[in-house]
Amino acid sequence: MAEAQQVPQSPLATDATSTYNLTVGSVAVDGYDPVAYFPEGGGTATKGDARFEMAHNGVTYRFSSKAHLDLFRSNPSKYQPAHGGWCTYAMGKDGAKVEVDPTSYVVAGDRLFLFYKDFFTNTRASFLKDQEGLTAKADANWKRLTGESPRMGTPASLQRQLDELRDRANKAAPAERIAVYEEGIREIAASGVLESALKVGASAPDFTLMSAAGPPVRLAELLKSGPVVLTWYRGGWCPYCNLQLRTYQESLADFKAAGGAHLVAVSPQMPDSSLSTQEKNLLEFAVLSDPGNSVAHQYGVAYRLPESVVNAFKGRLDMPRFNGDDSWELPLPVTYVIGKDSRIAYAFIDADYRKRAEPADILAALRALQSP
């Protein structure tokens, strides 16, 4: 860390401008859009635009779009960078305020962490080796330096339930199977599917798919009367998917109230399996079948399960019977909010099948579309 430029320490700050890492004009994150780092903002470091700017507690934030500004306004504490925007690794290691490169970051536990980076050093890699320990130390050092209690990023309702389901499953499963699944998630993340998945701002391809109950559903027809929440799930055999779908059903009235939004769930299941999923979970929204993942491929969210995971599934789950082929392909658990102009306004994209978009984030994106 010798090459990193440390900012002289000062007594307990009395205002944000003397505590936070700010550029000229009290601008945070070197003018980068804090919402853009999060899944609902596209998950990419993106420069903000001075046209979309707001001040919060003496700090100016810039955004790449009005929709992102509205998301920030609805929940500022979620999107503010941790530890005043200083390098989290340095804050955890010795409590130092060290400058950052806004393109070096981690979003974890619903918090944004930034890191120092130059030609020789990127403290992000060191942070990832002891993420939990360094985060706790950084939180303690930040509290000592500023008197400000860090926002702890408590998981929201759906993710808390999913985490509890994961913990119960891990207690019941053999350690070697857990290891296979964890390695499988890492292989999926490295497969390129996260890069191929459509992002915020992309035009959503039109499609027509079979409905579990009723006539075929076409995206373009739905968009004529309101935005569409389009979510992929793996299948009715997946307990995480069933929990997600039931939770979305509970928010269905709120989604509809936000500009007449339609909720659509898609999986590679055959129609009879999709109907079983709909009936089992008492779902009142469209549940569509995409055998062969043809639409999932259009959206760039389809991948083949790693061979080790395929072998773990065999004998325990007859996936071809559910999905109608033996490709062992699945979609990422992606959720999009698509505006009436067919543009993707929100994207939740993750390689971990145990993580899903929060209803509150979906609703915030829908409400942002309503803003003039």
Side-chain angles (χ1 to χ4, degrees):
M1 290 295 300
E3 47 283 70
Q5 180 184 357
Q6 295 194 11
V7 177
Q9 303 300 304
S10 59
L12 183 65
T14 57
D15 59 79
T17 56
S18 61
T19 305
Y20 283 57
N21 185 7
L22 307 174
T23 52
V24 176
S26 300
V27 176
V29 205
D30 200 24
Y32 277 70
D33 179 347
V35 174
Y37 292 97
F38 289 79
E40 61 269 29
T44 304
T46 305
K47 265 287 191 181
D49 188 322
R51 293 177 301 168
F52 308 111
E53 185 178 275
M54 72 168 284
H56 179 72
N57 292 342
V59 178
T60 299
Y61 296 91
R62 289 179 179 168
F63 307 91
S64 56
S65 68
K66 186 177 185 301
H68 284 194
L69 187 155
D70 289 338
L71 282 172
F72 182 90
R73 182 182 285 119
S74 69
N75 191 2
S77 65
K78 172 179 178 177
Y79 298 109
Q80 290 173 286
H83 311 122
W86 303 107
C87 173
T88 289
Y89 172 79
M91 185 62 63
K93 187 170 182 287
D94 51 23
K97 291 181 179 178
V98 171
E99 293 288 353
V100 300
D101 182 332
T103 65
S104 181
Y105 67 94
V106 167
V107 173
D110 236 11
R111 301 174 74 189
L112 170 61
F113 304 106
L114 299 171
F115 302 95
Y116 173 83
K117 177 184 175 183
D118 65 12
F119 187 78
F120 301 101
T121 304
N122 187 347
T123 60
R124 179 181 185 275
S126 300
F127 170 79
L128 291 174
K129 293 177 182 177
D130 183 20
Q131 182 170 326
E132 185 175 346
L134 284 166
T135 299
K137 292 177 182 177
D139 287 345
N141 285 333
W142 182 248
K143 172 83 172 184
R144 175 179 57 82
L145 287 171
T146 68
E148 179 181 283
S149 296
R151 186 183 65 82
M152 301 311 294
T154 302
S157 177
L158 174 57
Q159 193 57 54
R160 185 181 298 115
Q161 295 178 69
L162 292 167
D163 291 344
E164 291 172 353
L165 178 58
R166 176 205 61 205
D167 293 342
R168 291 195 300 271
N170 285 350
K171 288 180 181 178
E176 58 271 20
R177 186 184 301 161
I178 296 172
V180 167
Y181 290 166
E182 294 291 346
E183 179 58 29
I185 291 169
R186 289 190 286 271
E187 289 185 39
I188 293 165
S191 70
V193 67
L194 295 177
E195 289 73 26
S196 67
L198 294 184
K199 308 296 192 301
V200 169
S203 180
D206 189 23
F207 62 79
T208 301
L209 288 176
M210 295 174 287
S211 174
V217 172
R218 183 179 178 187
L219 176 64
E221 289 299 317
L222 296 178
L223 290 174
K224 288 179 180 179
S225 58
V228 169
V229 178
L230 177 62
T231 189
W232 267 272
Y233 69 101
R234 305 195 303 165
W237 47 267
C238 170
Y240 301 93
C241 299
N242 290 317
L243 176 55
Q244 173 200 12
L245 295 176
R246 289 194 297 270
T247 303
Y248 286 6
Q249 172 63 40
E250 294 172 1
S251 298
L252 183 59
D254 291 332
F255 294 164
K256 288 181 177 180
H262 304 275
L263 175 59
V264 175
V266 180
S267 84
Q269 291 185 132
M270 298 300 288
D272 57 344
S273 297
S274 295
L275 180 59
S276 297
T277 299
Q278 187 171 41
E279 293 176 340
K280 176 176 65 177
N281 293 295
L282 303 176
L283 306 179
E284 299 172 352
F285 53 85
V287 180
L288 308 183
S289 295
D290 182 25
N293 286 296
S294 60
V295 175
H297 277 286
Q298 285 183 273
Y299 281 74
V301 302
Y303 66 92
R304 190 181 190 279
L305 280 170
E307 204 61 37
S308 58
V309 180
V310 171
N311 292 333
F313 266 127
K314 285 178 178 177
R316 300 182 57 248
L317 175 67
D318 185 6
M319 192 180 294
R321 177 169 64 84
F322 289 99
N323 294 356
D325 62 40
D326 58 357
S327 67
W328 290 93
E329 281 191 341
L330 287 175
L332 292 174
V334 167
T335 296
Y336 293 121
V337 171
I338 304 170
K340 293 180 69 175
D341 60 357
S342 295
R343 292 289 172 183
I344 295 173
Y346 165 92
F348 177 92
I349 305 167
D350 204 297
D352 191 337
Y353 59 88
R354 301 161 302 188
K355 296 181 180 180
R356 308 296 167 106
E358 284 291 340
D361 293 337
I362 296 170
L363 188 58
L366 289 170
R367 287 172 174 164
L369 284 176
Q370 293 181 278
S371 300

